[in-house]
């Protein structure tokens, strides 16, 4: 029977990063994936390494916003009415943690991860030979209403500037200079300069996995639900037979509960579903930066495959059939902003974001099992936080001094 020091369950950006960091610290690692490296949640996202997101996405507290969302006609948020009673308790906890005082504390606790997110990616991108996938041009919020533009400018100066984040305030002419093909429906923007963007997130994860394999790591195909606790560690099944590891890491994103629940753990893990579609630009149109249309609630990103239109969040059962209503609503509005042409994809892609109500991931040891570790629940920032999560968890697992206090991410905080 094959044996290793660690089995990492899940080959998305978080799992692959954990495997690489453990490997760099001398551990023999098996990376177990059922359906393809970087093909799950890591496949479809905005492609941003969001160094500027020092405040996580929180629950809206304005009564007018809540009323608007309740009508269920929006691009940025949608819910399945039949699923609403099931998700309501989780949303109540999300609302609780989103109070200004609690949100400020959570932001401070997430800050060390955000601050190190880009540098930790760069530490992997260069040896993996993936520099061609990264663009360090930041991203731009665009606004259709001057009131929302001015509100964003004030927040940038009051909330983000004190953290040393760099940004440019753009009027209509300044925005046009950076994005010549954007239409006049927008009045200006805020250009965040610190983040980087990835032209193919799935290719990035695959490239990191290839680096792991070149360095002697083992990629294995198998179902993480086969994990079983043994007297000396953990047993699991691969397509070549059973295997054992002294320790195990659950890095399965929205599917983490499929493994931790049978082991006796209960986390308030919810899923925010989302969709994307790629388009060919019309004529010679070029999109130079990732654009977030703040007033309408969608995002456009330049990818190798075309211009990616991504939606906000959908609250529905994790495994329910896709309902790309938001994408259908967003497409005509997006075409008002930028000249999108024909579809590149045969059908919309749907993904699942693993979210906890306090907007922080779980990173650290399992309370009930020696040698079992967790790394999941990264909300909207899995791509951003994958490598820095890998570093922190590997430091904890190998007895090194963690670069930051891991207490805020502990598994027993709920």
């Amino acid at each position: 029977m094959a044996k290793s020091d660690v089995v990492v369950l899940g080959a998305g950006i978080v799992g692959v990063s954990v495997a690489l960091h453990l490997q760099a610290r001398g551990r023999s690692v098996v990376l177990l994936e059922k359906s393809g490296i970087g093909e799950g949640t890591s496949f479809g996202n905005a492609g941003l390494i969001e160094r500027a997101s020092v405040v996580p996405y929180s629950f809206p507290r304005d009564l007018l916003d809540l009323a608007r969302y309740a009508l269920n006609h929006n691009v940025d948020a949608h819910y399945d009415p039949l699923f609403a009673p099931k998700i309501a308790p989780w949303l109540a906890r999300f609302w609780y943690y989103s109070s200004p005082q609690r949100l400020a504390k959570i932001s401070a606790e997430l800050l060390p991860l955000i601050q190190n997110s880009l540098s930790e990616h760069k530490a992997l991108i260069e040896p993996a030979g993936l520099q061609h996938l990264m663009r360090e041009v930041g991203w731009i919020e665009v606004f259709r209403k001057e009131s929302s533009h001015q509100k964003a400018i004030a927040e940038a100066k009051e909330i983000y500037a004190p953290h040393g984040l760099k940004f440019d305030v753009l009027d209509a002419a300044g925005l046009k200079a950076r994005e010549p093909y954007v239409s006049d429906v927008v009045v200006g923007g805020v250009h965040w300069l610190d983040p980087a963007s990835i032209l193919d997130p799935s290719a990035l994860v695959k490239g990191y996995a290839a680096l792991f394999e070149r360095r002697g790591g083992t990629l294995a195909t198998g179902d993480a639900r086969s994990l079983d606790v043994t007297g000396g560690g953990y047993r699991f099944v691969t397509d070549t037979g059973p295997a054992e590891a002294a320790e195990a890491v659950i890095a399965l994103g929205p599917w983490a509960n499929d493994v931790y629940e049978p082991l006796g753990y209960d986390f308030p893990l919810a899923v925010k579903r989302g969709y994307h579609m790629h388009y060919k630009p019309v004529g010679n149109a070029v999109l130079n930066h990732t654009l977030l249309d703040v007033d309408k609630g969608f995002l456009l990103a330049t990818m190798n495959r075309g211009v990616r239109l991504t939606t906000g969040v959908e609250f529905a059962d994790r495994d329910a059939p896709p309902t790309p209503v938001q994408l259908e609503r967003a497409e005509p509005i997006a075409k008002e902003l930028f000249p999108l042409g024909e579809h590149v994809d045969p059908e919309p892609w749907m993904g699942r974001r693993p979210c906890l109500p306090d907007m922080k991931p779980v990173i650290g040891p399992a309370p009930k099992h020696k040698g079992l570790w967790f790394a999941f629940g990264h909300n909207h920032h899995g791509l951003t936080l994958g490598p820095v999560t890998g570093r922190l968890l590997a430091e904890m697992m190998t007895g090194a001094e963690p670069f930051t206090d891991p207490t805020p991410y502990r598994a027993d905080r709920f």
Side-chain angles (χ1 to χ4, degrees):
M1 182 181 297
K3 296 185 178 182
S4 61
D5 293 328
V6 186
V7 58
V8 177
L9 308 175
I13 184 61
V14 175
V16 171
S17 298
V18 169
L20 274 167
H21 276 279
L22 285 169
Q23 181 186 59
R25 288 162 175 79
R27 297 295 194 264
S28 60
V29 183
V30 172
L31 183 59
L32 188 72
E33 175 57 53
K34 179 181 179 181
S35 57
I37 295 165
E39 295 293 329
T41 302
S42 297
F43 183 85
N45 53 68
L48 289 173
I49 301 173
E50 235 308 64
R51 173 64 183 79
S53 278
V54 296
V55 179
Y57 295 107
S58 58
F59 194 94
R61 301 179 76 82
D62 182 88
L63 292 179
L64 290 178
D65 285 338
L66 292 174
R68 180 171 61 87
Y69 289 126
L71 294 174
N72 211 20
H73 295 154
N74 303 289
V75 170
D76 54 343
H78 182 258
Y79 62 89
D80 175 0
L82 297 178
F83 186 69
K86 184 176 180 180
I87 195 65
W90 187 92
L91 290 174
R93 297 180 75 170
F94 187 21
W95 178 87
Y96 170 82
Y97 284 113
S98 297
S99 72
Q101 297 84 359
R102 295 185 185 93
L103 186 61
K105 182 176 184 292
I106 290 166
S107 298
E109 291 170 337
L110 283 170
L111 187 60
L113 301 183
I114 293 293
Q115 287 178 324
N116 290 277
S117 59
L118 183 54
S119 60
E120 290 299 326
H121 265 286
K122 287 183 175 180
L124 297 180
I125 281 176
E126 184 173 350
L130 300 171
Q131 298 93 325
H132 61 285
L133 292 178
M134 177 183 281
R135 301 169 70 232
E136 294 190 74
V137 298
W139 65 282
I140 302 175
E141 292 178 300
V142 298
F143 302 89
R144 299 182 184 227
K145 298 184 293 186
E146 190 57 44
S147 58
S148 55
H149 188 205
Q150 292 304 317
K151 179 182 177 183
I153 293 169
E155 290 178 349
K157 294 177 179 178
E158 295 168 10
I159 299 173
Y160 296 91
H163 292 289
L165 296 173
K166 300 183 292 295
F167 60 90
D168 289 339
V169 174
L170 307 175
D171 59 13
L175 178 57
K176 200 76 170 178
R178 300 187 189 193
E179 290 293 348
Y181 293 94
V182 165
S183 75
D184 294 334
V185 298
V186 287
V187 299
V190 175
H191 185 177
W192 298 97
L193 302 172
D194 296 277
S197 57
I198 301 298
L199 293 169
D200 188 334
S202 180
L204 183 79
V205 179
K206 288 178 168 62
Y208 285 171
L211 175 63
F212 167 74
E213 194 169 28
R214 288 197 301 272
R215 289 176 169 178
T218 300
L219 302 178
T221 301
D223 192 330
R225 293 173 297 182
S226 67
L227 188 74
D228 190 27
V229 182
T230 67
Y234 298 87
R235 184 170 296 170
F236 54 99
V237 178
T238 75
D239 59 353
T240 59
E244 288 185 349
E247 297 182 279
V249 178
I250 298 177
L252 291 161
W255 296 277
N257 62 307
D258 290 349
V259 177
Y260 68 62
E261 285 180 354
L263 296 175
Y265 296 94
D266 181 20
F267 295 98
L269 183 68
V271 168
K272 297 179 185 177
R273 307 202 314 179
Y275 300 83
H276 80 224
M277 171 65 73
H278 292 97
Y279 301 80
K280 291 182 179 179
V282 174
N284 296 321
V286 175
L287 185 68
N288 296 317
H289 305 81
T290 297
L291 302 182
L292 173 63
D293 189 324
V294 175
D295 293 313
K296 294 297 184 180
F298 65 86
L299 183 143
L300 296 176
T302 295
M303 297 282 171
N304 285 340
R305 189 170 173 81
V307 176
R308 179 179 289 184
L309 169 61
T310 74
T311 64
V313 301
E314 178 190 48
F315 291 104
D317 188 86
R318 184 190 70 180
D319 301 320
T323 54
V325 174
Q326 292 160 283
L327 200 59
E328 295 168 2
R329 293 172 180 167
E331 182 177 306
I333 305 171
K335 288 181 176 179
E336 295 174 359
L337 175 67
F338 182 83
L340 298 175
E342 62 185 82
H343 293 180
V344 175
D345 306 318
E347 59 185 22
W349 178 87
M350 186 191 79
R352 304 159 178 88
R353 307 175 185 95
C355 300
L356 293 156
D358 67 352
M359 295 157 273
K360 296 180 295 183
V362 173
I363 306 171
K368 303 175 186 176
H369 294 80
K370 181 181 179 180
L372 181 64
W373 302 81
F374 297 136
F376 60 83
H378 289 75
N379 289 270
H380 293 258
H381 295 307
L383 179 68
T384 296
L385 299 179
V388 73
T389 295
R391 174 185 170 181
L392 179 59
L393 189 66
E395 288 169 345
M396 297 169 70
M397 292 178 66
T398 58
E401 181 70 23
F403 78 91
T404 188
D405 180 9
T407 303
Y409 326 117
R410 68 188 187 279
D412 61 355
R413 68 183 189 263
F414 295 106

